[in-house]
Amino acid sequence: MGDEPLVRWHWVNTHLGYLRGLLVDHAVIALLPVLLGLLIALPLGLLCTRYGRLYQPLAAVFNVIYALPALAVFVVLIPYTGLATQATVMIPLTCYALAVLLPTTVDGLRAVPEPVRQAATALGYGPWRRLAAVELPAAVPYLVAGLRVAAVSSISLASVGALVGRGGLGYLFLDGFQRTFPTPIVAGIVLVALLALVTDAVLLLARRLLAPWARREAVGK
């Protein structure tokens, strides 16, 4: 890039609003699919726990989807969901999140000892109350671990959406590359990294609040 400096701070200072808008758009595109993936993974994980034969076929399907290149999936969806739409990017990201969240959800629900389930039943807990009061709280460390991986992966993959017209901070990479101008590229890298770090910190805090015993057990080991 010749004599062009790595960062032109004047450009950054005069584009703060633009950068903020891209950051918000990137966060929505990247993190909403993770939330949707969790909402789908919970009932699917419950079904897989109750009916064990469902788990391997479902996991295999989502693993195959996870192995597909994101850009190729975006391009395949364009005729159905349109160019430069959130759906074109968010549908594959939701599937990728599911590929991570389904195994951790199943592992978390299976981690509840059977005597604990039996004790809850003996105390008069019905299936739904037992799920809400016993099984899901015990699965929180597993769920948060899956959410951390899925969120960071989704934040990274969302940038690829810029190639099909909807990629949040990914526009900065395209802009910098096309103009041989490194400042937007550096700004994009920093903001993607910050978004990933903040999201991971929030999830860690949520785990500590929802499952404080998990931290004590880790320290005890």
Side-chain angles (χ1 to χ4, degrees):
M1 295 187 179
D3 297 329
E4 178 67 30
L6 187 62
V7 177
R8 286 190 178 272
W9 293 108
H10 175 73
W11 184 93
V12 174
N13 291 333
T14 56
H15 289 76
L16 290 177
Y18 174 65
L19 295 173
R20 189 182 304 112
L22 290 180
L23 178 62
V24 171
D25 190 43
H26 195 100
V28 171
I29 293 173
L31 298 180
L32 187 55
V34 178
L35 177 59
L36 293 174
L38 178 63
L39 294 177
I40 298 171
L42 287 174
L44 282 181
L46 184 60
L47 285 173
C48 290
T49 304
R50 297 290 187 267
Y51 308 100
R53 293 182 179 179
L54 286 176
Y55 177 56
Q56 291 302 331
L58 281 175
V61 169
F62 286 116
N63 284 337
V64 169
I65 294 174
Y66 193 78
L68 298 176
L71 181 57
V73 180
F74 295 158
V75 171
V76 168
L77 283 176
I78 286 175
Y80 307 99
T81 55
L83 183 65
T85 64
Q86 285 188 344
T88 300
V89 177
M90 291 172 60
I91 290 174
L93 293 184
T94 300
C95 293
Y96 293 152
L98 264 172
V100 175
L101 293 172
L102 181 60
T104 55
T105 302
V106 173
D107 289 343
L109 293 174
R110 287 178 174 173
V112 181
E114 190 58 32
V116 174
R117 288 193 177 94
Q118 293 175 355
T121 302
L123 289 172
Y125 283 40
W128 292 108
R129 186 183 177 191
R130 186 182 66 191
L131 175 67
V134 178
E135 295 175 351
L136 285 180
V140 164
Y142 294 85
L143 292 174
V144 173
L147 284 170
R148 292 176 67 190
V149 175
V152 171
S153 176
S154 188
I155 289 170
S156 176
L157 288 172
S159 300
V160 182
L163 295 172
V164 293
R166 198 61 187 261
L169 295 169
Y171 289 125
L172 296 174
F173 304 138
L174 290 179
D175 181 39
F177 178 77
Q178 292 170 350
R179 294 196 289 155
T180 317
F181 182 34
T183 299
I185 297 175
V186 174
I189 291 172
V190 171
L191 290 174
V192 167
L194 284 176
L195 180 59
L197 287 171
V198 170
T199 301
D200 192 62
V202 170
L203 290 172
L204 277 174
L205 178 62
R207 188 188 69 178
R208 291 181 180 181
L209 294 175
L210 296 174
W213 66 87
R215 185 185 180 190
R216 290 196 294 268
E217 289 176 358
V219 173
K221 292 179 181 179

